[in-house]
Amino acid sequence: QDYALRFQSSDPAGNPNFELQQAWAERVATLTGGRVTVEMLPVGSIVQHTETQDAVATGIIDGHVTDTSYFTGKDAAFGLIANPVGAYGSPAEMLNFIEYGGGKELMNELLNPYGLQFIGATTPGLEAFISKVPLNGVADLKGLKMRAPEGLVQNVFLAAGAAPVNLPGSEVFTSLDKGVIDAADYTVFSTNHQQGMHDVANHPVYPGFHSMPLVEVSINKGTWDSMPADVQSILEISVRDFARDMTSQLAMRDAVSVAAAIANPDITVHNWSAEERAKFRTIAKSQWVAVAEKSDNAKRVYEVLTAYLTEQGLLAE
Amino acid sequence: MIDLLALIPDLKALGIETATLLMFGSLLLLLLTGMPLAFVTLLVALIFALGWFGPGAIPLIVSRIFSFVNSFVFVSVPMFVLMAAILDRSGIARDLFDAMRLVGGRLRGGVAIQTLLVAVVLAAMSGIIGGEVVLLGVIALPQMLRLGYDRKLAIGVCCAGGALGTMIPPSIVLIIYGLTASVSIGDLFSAAFIPGLMLATMYAAYILIRAYTNPDIAPIPDPGEIPRAEKLRLLKGLVLPIMVVIFVLGSIYGGIASVTEASAIGVLGVTLSTMIRREFSLSLVMGAARQTLATVGMIVWIGIGASALVGVFNLMGGIRFVQALITGISDNPMVVILFMMLILFVLGMFLDWVGIALLTMPIFVPIVVNLGFDPIWFGVLFAMNMQVSFLSPPFGPAAFYLKSVAPPDISLGEIFLALLPFIAIQIIAVILLILFPGIAIY
Amino acid sequence: MQNTEIPKEKTYRPIPEAGLLGRVITRVGDVFAIAIVLSAMALIYEVAMRYGFNAPTKWAHETVIFLTAITFVYGGLLGAATDKHIRVVLIYDTLSPRLRRVFNVVISMACALASALFSWAGWLVVKRAIWTPAGDFRLETSGSAWDPPTPGLLKLFLLFVLILLCLQFAILAINYAKRK
Ligand code: NA
Ligand code: NA
């Protein structure tokens, strides 16, 4: 055995995302004939989720599977590439950008100086929106007290007239339950449903309109450079397959949960019209420009991303 | 410096089993030298980081210190301590207990039971212990001692009662469990409520039994002939504290403030109370704030040390080690559960709950689900086990919290001795919960 | 019947062995005591603005987290200067004064050494928080809509306190050794 690697995830142990990540780790061992083993560690077990980039770079852990937007504080470019709110309508549009639209090269341009190598990306998919009040369009966001995580998502909701409240994930449930906030950006529909979010906020919006996080699989650059070419290729291809695995399985879980939610008379699932989604997207785009101003790297992300979106006809002027 | 580092033996060569034993052994040994607790755990974490990985792993400890303090969850701790310090400096606490003595009447142990009641109300206001134990330690402990209660009984009520904060919703232990296990936090909260009350009732029963079998430990105050006017004056002592409680609980359950924010509402409430009583002054607030600073420094650094230690242990392969311990222990699911309880109990002697949760939840939850147990029930069981860990020596956070504010002549040894019967009650509650899961999942 | 009353005014005092540094640490402590009061006020303000005016602030929660974080960190330093950290003195109390002095010296030296290593590691952490890989100065921010540089500031502050902690323990070790 040549490489015994430790990766830290940004998901907790019982979460479906984590189980999929563990399955990926096991496949890596099989595919490399045991030359590489990956131990997947749950969120917070070694360092806090916001500190994994430093930990990978300094070799405390070997890699991470995490939402890139946690490193927005290091460079606004991470925030923009991780969650260009409103850019994508489906996971495929994002994964194509990463694989074929210059995203992968861009990620390495950003990460290599920090001492990390980007292997590939996945995503849990379009996040659903949790709400206690019926939301049918942008107008309903006006004055809505809602929890949004750090990063671009918060700016976009602010621009859309909502009143974002800073809350850690651990306070979302109780705050929704008691009505401190009316809505929240949390995670995908099936996990929201499983965690009982829809019991306290029974007007979810699905499919979500606001957020699809880029989950990066990255490794210490020194370790990567020491790997033979075949192992590098196997890792890259395994992550490409992992993305398909995760997006497909989570979409299937979502479908089951949505059916259950629709069948539940206490829960009303709302779906925004194409028109309302477009309105939100326009607001979101105005915020991309603002973020692009924050650093040279962010500007670069903005240029590469808009070039891809324009070329693919995804950016209606 | 490099030469010094070379003195640290290569611990990795020992293997994780021996290293784990060595870790607990060195914790115990260093603890007994009289070294400050926070630095005992930090030092052990440092030695194992160095001996297992080399100097490159030390930033992990600094990173964990940073993450521990940089969290919204712990914001409520200084708020509760500040509340306690302000109450302590005003006459509110004393008047409250004088009034409670009157209400308690001829019931033996009445004030201890009322303290327990206060603890339950506090538990409904907060999701984390620390602040609550300090609050009871500052307010209730001296009052019970003043009224002639047995020291050990009074100490036990403050620690065990204060620890209820994570058993009765809202509870951060249950929230973190819910996120780890991906189960409904609401279901966890409603499942934990009855077991929490059951535990409090068992404490109350214990107090009554002790008080009636040995009248010396809970003297009935000699009311003499209190004139009606005097009684009314005394009862007025209840008004302001009840108003503060309504303030805080109202803000939480009325959807006005989040649980953490509500702790600041409590500060506002007691501050307004001192104004109404014309006791308010800047020096009062400043004195209270100074005491808060000193107290939270002690409380939080204990948690910091434990969190750093768990980070290092996990990096050493602790998760895999504990996993391997459990798999293959038995085909009987009940034996597996009991073994998990044993692990939690042992860990509870050395770590605080954040560390235990980080280490064991990711391992236990999938196994419990695979065995076909209800993860909600296990979550409540987990929270109940944490109750034990708060009190159990040698690393008993509730005891440390109380020590940080107790009169200097109360030693840690005395506190731990006082806690033994309460630990026994908690273990009985754990057993009941295993035997009759219906207590939680009805 | 035992009658134990907590003394009403128990503001912290440095132990004599903490020296001048200990006195300075205790004096400066007031800044952080005030920070606690300010965080309570900020939380109340946030609740009032959000509930009363439907206008939650961008800054309150992050400010409060920062204020309490520096308070927690500083509280640890204060505990060292005032010798208020919780200790298990079961065996320590039975020692002869001579042996107790030896224990005090060794414990303080061990804590000083540990703090020195943490300070060195803290420097490594801080480097990544205050400079970009290209070497430009930038304080790590929180990444929220408000985006304050609090993580960078907190890491710097932590480093500063770790260094002071090392110094304080070294001073304690020297003074314990000197005092008969
Ligand atoms: Na509680
Ligand atoms: Na314990």
Side-chain angles (χ1 to χ4, degrees):
Chain A
Q1 179 183 335
D2 307 324
Y3 295 96
L5 306 176
R6 274 191 217 91
F7 274 55
Q8 187 175 302
S9 160
S10 57
D11 290 301
N15 189 290
N17 297 0
F18 185 76
E19 285 158 15
L20 293 165
Q21 288 155 12
Q22 266 182 322
W24 165 75
E26 281 160 27
R27 278 198 301 276
V28 168
T30 314
L31 289 167
T32 56
R35 282 187 291 162
V36 180
T37 56
V38 178
E39 183 186 2
M40 192 57 70
L41 295 155
V43 63
S45 51
I46 310 291
V47 291
Q48 199 192 20
H49 61 278
T50 50
E51 301 297 302
T52 55
Q53 193 184 68
D54 284 359
V56 173
T58 53
I60 290 173
I61 48 177
D62 301 293
H64 62 186
V65 182
T66 188
D67 185 337
T68 303
S69 48
Y70 292 137
F71 312 110
T72 309
K74 283 261 183 356
D75 189 331
F78 289 119
L80 186 57
I81 198 167
N83 207 343
V85 178
Y88 312 118
S90 74
E93 288 171 11
M94 187 192 93
L95 294 172
N96 288 349
F97 169 65
I98 297 297
E99 287 292 334
Y100 317 109
K104 190 169 188 167
E105 294 73 15
L106 194 54
M107 275 301 279
N108 272 322
E109 253 176 64
L110 297 177
L111 280 175
N112 285 348
Y114 282 92
L116 282 82
Q117 173 77 26
F118 173 77
I119 306 176
T122 178
T123 178
L126 270 176
E127 295 196 336
F129 200 69
I130 317 172
S131 178
K132 285 176 91 81
V133 292
L135 297 176
N136 291 308
V138 173
D140 294 338
L141 295 176
K142 191 115 205 93
L144 184 75
K145 276 182 275 196
M146 56 154 302
R147 180 259 181 181
E150 60 267 11
L152 190 54
V153 187
Q154 223 177 62
N155 299 59
V156 173
F157 276 106
L158 199 62
V165 179
N166 264 326
L167 275 183
S170 57
E171 291 227 6
V172 171
F173 181 86
T174 36
S175 301
L176 271 175
D177 184 22
K178 303 294 184 288
V180 175
I181 50 173
D182 294 319
D185 163 283
Y186 196 60
T187 182
V188 294
F189 193 93
S190 50
T191 308
N192 292 343
H193 196 68
Q194 196 177 16
Q195 296 191 356
M197 291 294 175
H198 298 151
D199 299 334
V200 292
N202 54 1
H203 290 280
V205 181
Y206 181 86
F209 54 89
H210 63 292
S211 167
M212 184 162 69
L214 170 83
V215 173
E216 66 175 72
V217 183
S218 305
I219 187 171
N220 178 281
K221 176 117 179 30
T223 310
W224 176 261
D225 290 342
S226 77
M227 286 176 158
D230 64 330
V231 169
Q232 289 183 344
S233 269
I234 292 173
L235 281 175
E236 285 176 327
I237 294 168
S238 75
V239 172
R240 207 192 295 168
D241 171 74
F242 170 46
R244 190 199 56 82
D245 194 47
M246 178 178 255
T247 48
S248 316
Q249 292 209 44
L250 291 180
M252 288 171 72
R253 288 174 53 96
D254 271 3
V256 173
S257 298
V258 169
I262 289 174
N264 185 335
D266 297 329
I267 302 173
T268 317
V269 181
H270 298 256
N271 187 357
W272 279 19
S273 67
E275 197 183 23
E276 288 300 324
R277 284 170 189 273
K279 254 193 239 169
F280 189 79
R281 204 168 289 180
T282 313
I283 296 169
K285 277 176 207 153
S286 67
Q287 297 304 301
W288 303 355
V289 187
V291 174
E293 295 304 315
K294 285 192 166 182
S295 78
D296 292 343
N297 280 331
K299 189 164 227 115
R300 174 109 180 85
V301 170
Y302 178 79
E303 283 161 4
V304 178
L305 182 67
T306 44
Y308 162 77
L309 293 171
T310 313
E311 181 206 271
Q312 292 294 305
L314 296 170
L315 201 63
E317 291 308 320
Chain B
M1 191 69 118
I2 302 298
D3 294 340
L4 261 175
L5 294 183
L7 288 177
I8 305 255
D10 177 16
L11 295 169
K12 200 169 185 172
L14 294 175
I16 184 82
E17 298 88 353
T18 320
T20 306
L21 283 177
L22 203 66
M23 194 180 249
F24 287 152
S26 46
L27 269 179
L28 207 57
L29 201 75
L30 283 173
L31 214 67
L32 290 175
T33 62
M35 185 181 224
L37 257 168
F39 293 92
V40 168
T41 36
L42 277 172
L43 191 64
V44 174
L46 178 65
I47 292 170
F48 278 80
L50 275 172
W52 196 279
F53 304 100
I58 310 178
L60 157 62
I61 298 174
V62 177
S63 166
R64 285 193 82 97
I65 300 177
F66 163 79
S67 307
F68 194 92
V69 297
N70 192 32
S71 121
F72 194 57
V73 167
F74 293 108
V75 166
S76 68
V77 174
M79 296 303 130
F80 264 90
V81 178
L82 184 58
M83 221 187 299
I86 294 174
L87 283 173
D88 181 38
R89 278 167 175 69
S90 79
I92 299 173
R94 198 189 176 96
D95 289 357
L96 169 67
F97 275 80
D98 283 342
M100 273 165 51
R101 187 171 51 166
L102 204 67
V103 176
R106 306 292 303 169
L107 181 70
R108 273 204 187 281
V111 176
I113 299 226
Q114 286 164 333
T115 303
L116 207 54
L117 200 69
V118 172
V120 171
V121 172
L122 285 175
M125 291 180 188
S126 153
I128 200 159
I129 75 159
E132 287 163 70
V133 175
V134 166
L135 206 140
L136 292 173
V138 168
I139 297 162
L141 183 61
Q143 299 299 335
M144 277 192 281
L145 297 179
R146 178 173 66 97
L147 297 174
Y149 271 69
D150 177 62
R151 278 162 69 106
K152 291 205 171 61
L153 190 72
I155 291 167
V157 169
C158 291
C159 284
L164 284 172
T166 62
M167 196 67 219
I168 289 168
S171 151
I172 193 75
V173 174
L174 289 172
I175 288 175
I176 290 184
Y177 179 89
L179 296 178
T180 309
S182 219
V183 293
S184 160
I185 294 162
D187 290 353
L188 281 169
F189 279 2
S190 38
F193 190 69
I194 299 288
L197 284 187
M198 176 186 85
L199 189 59
T201 313
M202 287 165 75
Y203 292 154
Y206 169 75
I207 295 168
L208 286 178
I209 292 169
R210 287 290 312 277
Y212 278 93
T213 50
N214 182 2
D216 286 347
I217 67 163
I220 293 177
D222 181 23
E225 272 311 304
I226 299 180
R228 248 182 86 90
E230 175 69 2
K231 270 189 185 172
L232 266 173
R233 193 193 64 79
L234 280 174
L235 281 177
K236 262 168 66 185
L238 286 175
V239 175
L240 283 175
I242 288 178
M243 291 291 282
V244 174
V245 166
I246 293 174
F247 233 58
V248 177
L249 284 182
S251 69
I252 293 178
Y253 293 91
I256 296 169
S258 75
V259 178
T260 303
E261 290 166 344
S263 58
I265 305 277
V267 173
L268 179 66
V270 296
T271 309
L272 289 179
S273 302
T274 59
M275 287 175 177
I276 292 169
R277 293 169 58 103
R278 298 175 193 284
E279 289 170 337
F280 178 84
S281 72
L282 273 182
S283 75
L284 178 140
V285 174
M286 215 30 223
R290 284 199 191 102
Q291 189 189 344
T292 307
L293 172 65
T295 308
V296 294
M298 288 182 255
I299 293 182
V300 169
W301 276 73
I302 291 169
I304 286 176
S307 162
L309 188 64
V310 170
V312 174
F313 185 62
N314 281 348
L315 193 64
M316 286 162 56
I319 292 186
R320 255 182 312 177
F321 171 60
V322 178
Q323 223 154 18
L325 270 184
I326 297 174
T327 29
I329 182 88
S330 168
D331 289 335
N332 184 340
M334 217 37 174
V335 175
V336 177
I337 293 279
L338 289 175
F339 188 63
M340 285 178 180
M341 296 299 113
L342 183 70
I343 291 179
L344 289 178
F345 184 75
V346 172
L347 287 177
M349 291 164 62
F350 297 96
L351 293 174
D352 83 331
W353 72 268
V354 181
I356 300 172
L358 274 176
L359 177 64
T360 60
M361 273 186 201
I363 306 169
F364 288 179
V365 168
I367 297 178
V368 167
V369 174
N370 272 337
L371 290 174
F373 290 106
D374 185 336
I376 299 283
W377 164 76
F378 189 74
V380 179
L381 196 57
F382 193 96
M384 193 68 100
N385 249 290
M386 290 302 98
Q387 293 291 306
V388 183
S389 84
F390 291 140
L391 307 196
S392 63
F395 194 98
F400 302 151
Y401 301 157
L402 189 73
K403 173 65 188 157
S404 72
V405 290
D409 63 312
I410 293 183
S411 72
L412 258 183
E414 183 177 9
I415 296 178
F416 277 128
L417 272 179
L419 292 181
L420 290 179
F422 290 88
I423 296 174
I425 295 172
Q426 292 171 335
I427 293 176
I428 294 172
V430 169
I431 295 172
L432 283 176
L433 203 52
I434 295 177
L435 290 179
F436 309 105
I439 299 171
I441 33 176
Y442 34 89
Chain C
M1 177 164 123
Q2 265 152 331
N3 203 339
T4 325
E5 282 272 359
I6 295 186
K8 268 287 177 264
E9 208 44 57
K10 46 180 172 188
T11 40
Y12 37 79
R13 255 184 223 103
I15 54 170
E17 288 84 355
L20 176 66
L21 182 62
R23 292 198 293 278
V24 174
I25 289 172
T26 326
R27 197 53 77 70
V28 175
D30 277 3
V31 174
F32 298 89
I34 292 170
I36 296 174
V37 178
L38 288 181
S39 17
M41 287 161 69
L43 283 176
I44 293 161
Y45 181 79
E46 161 74 13
V47 172
M49 288 306 286
R50 190 181 60 228
Y51 189 76
F53 304 95
N54 211 44
T57 68
K58 270 207 272 191
W59 54 268
H61 283 167
E62 285 185 285
T63 305
V64 168
I65 291 172
F66 179 72
L67 289 178
T68 45
I70 57 171
T71 304
F72 291 159
V73 171
Y74 196 86
L77 179 63
L78 189 74
T82 53
D83 191 24
K84 275 290 165 62
H85 277 296
I86 312 274
R87 312 156 53 145
V88 178
V89 287
L90 213 63
I91 290 175
Y92 177 91
D93 273 353
T94 65
L95 300 175
S96 68
R98 226 184 95 81
L99 213 52
R100 218 182 267 190
R101 216 181 96 205
V102 175
F103 265 60
N104 282 337
V105 174
V106 175
I107 288 173
S108 304
M109 275 170 54
C111 290
L113 182 67
S115 311
L117 286 168
F118 293 147
S119 305
W120 166 74
W123 170 240
L124 299 182
V125 170
V126 162
K127 275 204 293 194
R128 300 185 63 89
I130 65 173
W131 285 297
T132 65
D136 299 324
F137 181 80
R138 83 78 185 81
L139 278 170
E140 187 179 343
T141 63
S142 75
S144 66
W146 183 40
D147 208 21
T150 45
L153 287 174
L154 180 57
K155 284 175 181 174
L156 261 175
F157 181 76
L158 178 59
L159 171 64
F160 180 64
V161 167
L162 286 171
I163 294 170
L164 286 180
L165 205 53
C166 174
L167 287 175
Q168 179 65 86
F169 278 122
I171 291 170
L172 284 169
I174 293 168
N175 284 339
Y176 278 130
K178 275 204 294 206
R179 238 160 266 226
K180 293 282 172 283

